[in-house]
Amino acid sequence: NAREPSSRFVYLKYNKPRGVTCTMEPSQKSSMLYALKDELKVLAEARRKINGGASLGGSARVFPVGRLDRDSSGLVLLTDDGRVPEALLDPKNKASKTYDVDVDRFVSDASIENLRSGVVITTTQQRDGITTTAATSPCEVSRIPVTKGSHGADALRFILTEGRNRQIRKMCEAIGVEVTSLHRRSIGDVSLSVLSATEDGDDEKRKTENAGSVLECGGVRAVEGEELVYLARAVAESAARRQAAPTGGAKARAA
């Protein structure tokens, strides 16, 4: 059921600070495993109680969905549901991601248009080390107010579905500006906004009343409500696409 995510899994949103590495690798002291050690222990204890006292280990075994650079901040999704990365990161149907970016100098309207249309950048994949030089896919770019205290001269909002390594920083370099801060606001329909419950359960009312309320830096909160429904729907749609896709044998017979 696309409106009823499985209670067997954990879905969290984390407002990652700069300096924290987007991994659960125990050998890296800057990893989220250490940054969130207290929260994960509490989560593991809560899940132990739900599971009737069965031990789940020292902390909850969640992992980040995708990556966010160590020197960037903002939304990271954490889950133990292996279906979510495939649902949100599938190259054929990637969830859009929104970033607020401060840069060191003014960006002309012509340069913004170039960013929207696509600029040629060279990126290296972290997993296999393959280097690619190619134009970026068309995306949404708009000018926004500079973040207070960022020391930036101008600020842009990017909405991307593409996800190449350090893509926004490389795109900005291509037009002659340098990123001074990069903050991810949302992944698909999941954002850093904090929506407190209302007595009548009106989601639109919650969004209006909490329009300026965001998860604090370093904070963790469960994904819930319509955002959780969005994840469940994405997982269901991913499974349907996979089921509808022809197998290798079917392709061969068709040929």
Side-chain angles (χ1 to χ4, degrees):
N1 189 325
R3 293 194 63 85
E4 296 179 1
S6 173
S7 60
R8 295 183 296 115
F9 298 113
V10 174
Y11 308 91
L12 305 172
K13 50 184 176 181
Y14 171 45
N15 191 349
K16 186 187 85 68
R18 294 178 68 174
V20 174
T21 305
C22 199
T23 179
M24 288 295 184
E25 177 55 55
S27 64
Q28 295 188 36
K29 294 299 182 182
S30 64
S31 77
M32 291 187 296
L33 183 67
Y34 294 97
L36 297 173
K37 61 180 180 180
D38 294 335
E39 290 86 349
L40 295 177
K41 285 181 179 178
V42 171
L43 177 60
E45 176 63 18
R47 295 196 67 197
R48 185 187 66 79
K49 291 178 180 179
I50 291 173
N51 282 270
S55 175
L56 296 174
S59 62
R61 294 183 176 88
V62 294
F63 54 83
V65 178
R67 300 185 64 87
L68 186 62
D69 295 340
R70 179 174 175 175
D71 47 0
S72 299
S73 63
L75 177 63
V76 175
L77 286 175
L78 298 167
T79 185
D80 53 356
D81 185 349
R83 303 170 300 172
V84 173
E86 183 175 1
L88 299 185
L89 305 179
D90 181 352
K92 295 180 179 179
N93 200 61
K94 273 192 175 182
S96 64
K97 300 181 181 68
T98 303
Y99 302 84
D100 286 353
V101 182
D102 292 306
V103 294
D104 65 344
R105 63 192 69 184
F106 178 76
V107 181
S108 68
D109 290 343
S111 292
I112 291 177
E113 188 56 43
N114 288 338
L115 292 172
R116 291 171 179 156
S117 301
V119 292
V120 175
I121 61 174
T122 298
T123 54
T124 302
Q125 295 182 21
Q126 290 186 319
R127 287 188 176 181
D128 51 26
I130 296 176
T131 297
T132 302
T133 299
T136 56
S137 299
C139 63
E140 295 182 43
V141 184
S142 58
R143 197 187 309 276
I144 59 173
V146 176
T147 304
K148 186 177 181 179
S150 72
H151 306 296
D154 206 352
L156 303 172
R157 177 164 294 164
F158 288 74
I159 302 178
L160 306 177
T161 53
E162 197 174 19
R164 295 164 64 180
N165 186 26
R166 298 181 71 83
Q167 177 170 339
I168 291 177
R169 295 178 188 276
K170 297 276 188 178
M171 292 174 71
C172 289
E173 288 174 8
I175 62 166
V177 300
E178 183 178 341
V179 171
T180 59
S181 70
L182 190 155
H183 184 75
R184 183 156 67 196
R185 294 172 54 89
S186 63
I187 301 172
D189 288 353
V190 182
S191 76
L192 287 173
S193 297
V194 176
L195 303 179
S196 59
T198 61
E199 292 183 3
D200 57 7
D202 188 332
D203 284 322
E204 288 304 316
K205 182 178 178 182
R206 291 165 65 201
K207 291 176 183 177
T208 301
E209 292 178 348
N210 294 276
S213 181
V214 297
L215 183 63
E216 69 275 10
C217 183
V220 183
R221 187 173 294 262
V223 178
E224 56 187 1
E226 289 302 309
E227 293 183 335
L228 190 56
V229 171
Y230 161 75
L231 290 183
R233 186 170 61 245
V235 166
E237 291 173 354
S238 175
R241 287 193 302 272
R242 189 169 60 251
Q243 188 173 11
T247 62
K251 288 182 180 178
R253 287 192 296 273

